[in-house]
Amino acid sequence: MSDPLKDKSIVLGVCGGIAAYKAADFLRVLVKAGARTRVIMTEAAQAFVGVATFEALSGESVWTDMFGGQDGAPFRHIAWAEEADAVVIAPATANTIGKMAHGIADDPLTTFILAVRAPILVCPSMNTNMYENPIVQENITRLERPGITVLRPEAGSLACGREGPGRLPDVGTIAEEVRSLLCPNDLAGEQILVTAGPTHEPVDPARFISNPSSGKMGHLIARVARRRGAEVVLITGPTALPDPLGVRGIRVKTAQEMFDAVIGAAEKATITIMAAAVADWRPANPLEHKIKKEEMAECLPLERTADILKTLGENKKSQILVGFAAETRDLQQNASAKLNAKNLDLIVGNLIGQADSGFGSDTNQVSLFYRDGRNEALPLMEKSALADVLFDRILEMKQK
Ligand code: CTP
């Protein structure tokens, strides 16, 4: 699966708050992801941002006037509602939230909302006092029901000069919430533990042993799992990547730290996917002070790190265990040997050393090796698409 937003029809409702200008940026994110977008603006929204901005970005005329002479006017609310795959209201003001909570339909946005069957994401944004007003809170709670998700505002400094909750979340965060609304919820109830990235094994305070893993594969697995409804813990070695939205991130440096974190979290996990490139060896005696280059050779005796996945395999009960095998040759033989040695259900084998596959790339070309001896060569695909295939196969395995 590519970006869940691709080719989806998303209707964006913009209300009259200072954050209305951020809605234009959000619209750009949707368009860039390949979504078909339509915009409905309340009258107050037009006092903050011009209709032309949204028309230019969406490539469609913006709906502003209930009885205006635009095409298909009398039934536009029905037609747009039927075509929508998801609806986002950002920013959502106290006024529109109040109307939605009580079924009032007196403008294009609230009329349209009553006809929508697709998932709706409401992103309240307003002054802290207004947000914390018990009536507004009651209305927000009333809205939270199947089909409507409320993305709570962030706390921070607001345009009115106050500090507190009320800020519209970052546009990337809103987009990720929409992706998760568009994805199947087929991993709901699963507790998924994912590891990602390399580990750093210190030689001295200035040097470490590591590998080129970027962490992208593990991070995307965690992200896709969360989009599909799982509760996700991501244990990641040093990477530049931020924790995916809605995922509990634990940052570690060394193989031993990763071992401790994984063992601590593994008990609860129903599915564990070890995508991290854990160092197999570490300096036996990391030094407190920087060693001089002339002394380096004598100072580098190595010792094995603990094999995390093997330990999990030895203690495996009903959980699904998935490993990764990065190989430069004899993929089937090496990957199958690791699957057996570590008591895994599935191992993802990839031949590294190609530009568009493996460490650091956005795409990957892998073969899946199963416990029963089957294997499946997958075509080159985006790492996020691979994460989806992986979960499809894991769910098939769980159904058997
Ligand atoms: N792994 C682990 N703990 C380690 C090393 C690896 O849990 N100390 C996990 C990796 O996350 C991956 C799988 O084991 O899922 C890789 O298996 P491994 O036999 O370690 O592969 P390589 O490190 O590539 O081994 P080799 O150098 O022998 O090919």
Side-chain angles (χ1 to χ4, degrees), residues 6 14 77 86 115 147 222 259 267 353:
K6 191 162 164 37
V14 185
H77 59 297
F259 182 93
E267 183 97 10

Side-chain angles (χ1 to χ4, degrees), residues 89-330:
I89 307 176
T93 52
N95 184 43
T96 293
I97 290 169
K99 288 200 255 180
M100 283 176 69
H102 293 87
I104 294 170
D106 65 350
D107 62 12
L109 181 58
T110 48
T111 307
F112 158 80
I113 286 292
L114 284 188
V116 170
R117 293 263 175 97
I120 301 174
L121 179 68
V122 180
C123 307
S125 174
M126 63 199 75
N127 157 272
T128 302
N129 289 353
M130 293 172 79
Y131 177 67
E132 288 178 343
N133 182 307
I135 296 174
V136 174
Q137 285 300 314
E138 204 180 300
N139 286 339
I140 289 177
T141 311
R142 273 178 81 104
L143 281 189
E144 286 176 306
R145 60 186 62 210
I148 303 189
T149 305
V150 177
L151 180 60
R152 297 278 168 168
E154 289 174 356
S157 66
L158 303 174
C160 57
R162 278 200 52 140
E163 289 272 336
R167 273 164 64 113
L168 189 71
D170 165 76
V171 291
T173 304
I174 305 174
E176 190 56 26
E177 279 297 338
V178 185
R179 289 187 177 98
S180 120
L181 293 180
L182 292 166
C183 284
N185 216 22
D186 51 3
L187 292 174
E190 301 290 351
Q191 310 256 359
I192 301 186
L193 173 59
V194 185
T195 64
T199 61
H200 285 184
E201 309 303 327
V203 173
D204 66 21
R207 306 175 179 95
F208 55 77
I209 297 178
S210 191
N211 59 63
S213 169
S214 62
K216 277 183 196 164
M217 189 69 241
H219 277 249
L220 284 166
I221 291 172
R223 199 166 156 179
V224 164
R226 194 268 170 178
R227 278 182 194 163
R228 290 172 66 161
E231 252 184 61
V232 186
V233 176
L234 173 66
I235 298 175
T236 175
T239 77
L241 303 171
D243 290 344
L245 180 78
V247 163
R248 185 159 87 84
I250 301 175
R251 301 257 160 187
V252 297
K253 283 208 180 90
T254 63
Q256 187 57 44
E257 286 171 14
M258 188 171 277
F259 182 93
D260 294 339
V262 170
I263 299 302
E267 183 97 10
K268 276 179 72 189
T270 54
I271 300 168
T272 297
I273 304 178
M274 284 284 309
V278 188
D280 294 311
W281 292 88
R282 66 177 167 221
N285 308 302
L287 294 156
E288 203 182 320
H289 295 288
K290 190 178 165 201
I291 342 165
K292 292 290 154 205
K293 50 185 166 299
E294 296 76 21
E295 297 158 26
M296 188 73 96
E298 306 100 82
C299 290
L300 268 182
L302 299 176
E303 65 183 14
R304 291 294 300 266
T305 57
D307 192 320
I308 308 169
L309 197 47
K310 192 155 187 276
T311 311
L312 294 181
E314 283 161 3
N315 296 293
K316 179 167 140 63
K317 294 185 190 105
S318 59
Q319 64 271 52
I320 300 265
L321 272 190
V322 180
F324 272 71
E327 308 293 341
T328 52
R329 60 185 168 179
D330 302 328

Side-chain angles (χ1 to χ4, degrees), residues 325-362:
E327 308 293 341
T328 52
R329 60 185 168 179
D330 302 328
L331 183 62
Q332 171 147 14
Q333 201 182 329
N334 286 326
S336 305
K338 286 176 190 176
L339 175 122
N340 291 325
K342 302 191 188 206
N343 193 21
L344 309 180
D345 298 284
L346 169 62
I347 193 158
V348 183
N350 66 334
L351 280 176
I352 52 170
Q354 290 144 346
D356 51 4
S357 193
F359 290 138
S361 70
D362 290 326

Side-chain angles (χ1 to χ4, degrees), residues 49 57 95 165-166 274 398:
V49 197
L57 291 172
N95 184 43
M274 284 284 309
K398 284 193 93 148

